[in-house]
Amino acid sequence: GQGVEQPDNLMSVEGTFARVNCTYSTSGFNGLSWYQQREGHAPVFLSYVVLDGLKDSGHFSTFLSRSNGYSYLLLTELQIKDSASYLCAVRGPKGLTFGLGTRVSVFP
Amino acid sequence: EAGVTQSPRYAVLQEGQAVSFWCDPISGHDTLYWYQQPRDQGPQLLVYFRDEAVIDNSQLPSDRFSAVRPKGTNSTLKIQSAKQGDTATYLCASSPLQLSYEQYFGPGTRLTVL
């Protein structure tokens, strides 16, 4: 089966960074996506990774290690508006399996 | 480009009542997904279609839930006899076949079963 684990909460300060970790197990890995979800709104796609290494997309970067079943989303130069839940989703034989999400709170 | 639309936005039911949710995906997206998202949890896939065909409905409680996409465009998810445990937001998403990792979500229907 598939399982996706994320920490519940993460707090950080405006102007710094936050790293959201994700560990997963799957019988057939076919990539990992990150989504942002603000309170009361639908998830919004941020990034997709399928190869090992760091993918730099500016404000958001993502890292993947397939051998360790591990990924992280790195948010740099945090702004208050980055406060949201960040969902890790593993693409497997039965589509996307989402984690519970990590609630990131950015403080002044 | 219009996004995924869903209706109604909110629904409040008594246990045992029926309810239907409607979804209009992005034009040209052949794959459509229905998710259930309880409060403070991630979306959980219920069923997904490619065109009008059901690809996977293994997570759909078949005794009370049903979903159709008769013409491969709009879709309806129905709960026949709602239970309090069905309280959640029901999200519809769509994607092109080759980009199923990038799904576009509708605003969702927030269901409360009393």
Side-chain angles (χ1 to χ4, degrees):
Chain A
Q2 295 192 165
V4 182
E5 301 289 333
Q6 300 180 239
D8 291 339
N9 296 286
L10 181 61
M11 292 184 286
S12 197
V13 177
E14 187 178 23
T16 66
F17 69 94
R19 191 177 81 182
V20 183
N21 295 321
C22 172
T23 58
Y24 65 88
S25 60
T26 180
S27 56
F29 180 79
N30 197 16
L32 185 148
S33 299
W34 284 95
Y35 286 77
Q36 180 192 63
Q37 187 173 26
R38 299 185 188 282
E39 185 70 29
H41 291 82
V44 175
F45 174 80
L46 293 178
S47 179
Y48 172 71
V49 285
V50 66
L51 299 177
D52 288 348
L54 184 66
K55 179 179 178 181
D56 187 354
S57 303
H59 186 46
F60 300 106
S61 297
T62 48
F63 172 82
L64 176 66
S65 170
R66 288 173 295 174
S67 61
N68 292 310
Y70 170 69
S71 174
Y72 69 72
L73 173 71
L74 181 68
L75 300 90
T76 57
E77 297 182 22
L78 284 170
Q79 303 172 47
I80 302 296
K81 67 178 183 178
D82 291 323
S83 296
S85 286
Y86 291 85
L87 301 165
C88 173
V90 172
R91 186 181 180 206
K94 288 185 174 289
L96 289 183
T97 298
F98 283 84
L100 297 183
T102 298
R103 184 170 295 178
V104 174
S105 302
V106 182
F107 295 96
Chain B
E1 175 184 89
V4 177
T5 56
Q6 291 185 245
S7 64
R9 292 296 311 277
Y10 302 91
V12 180
L13 307 175
Q14 298 288 337
E15 275 199 320
Q17 288 186 306
V19 64
S20 291
F21 309 134
W22 180 83
C23 173
D24 188 5
I26 292 174
S27 178
H29 283 190
D30 45 19
T31 310
L32 183 148
Y33 312 81
W34 282 103
Y35 291 89
Q36 180 192 62
Q37 185 174 25
R39 188 170 179 78
D40 295 329
Q41 295 187 33
Q44 298 159 17
L45 182 67
L46 292 174
V47 58
Y48 79 97
F49 298 84
R50 190 155 298 143
D51 298 320
E52 68 278 4
V54 173
I55 303 302
D56 190 320
N57 63 357
S58 59
Q59 301 304 312
L60 195 67
S62 58
D63 58 333
R64 298 185 299 109
F65 285 63
S66 62
V68 294
R69 193 187 184 197
K71 297 182 180 179
T73 52
N74 302 335
S75 177
T76 302
L77 176 69
K78 183 175 182 178
I79 305 177
Q80 196 70 24
S81 178
K83 297 182 178 181
Q84 285 188 351
D86 299 332
T87 294
T89 296
Y90 290 82
L91 295 165
C92 177
S94 70
S95 72
L97 174 61
Q98 302 305 323
L99 295 174
S100 62
Y101 55 83
E102 183 175 348
Q103 298 181 13
Y104 294 82
F105 285 83
T109 297
R110 186 171 294 183
L111 173 67
T112 301
V113 183
L114 302 175

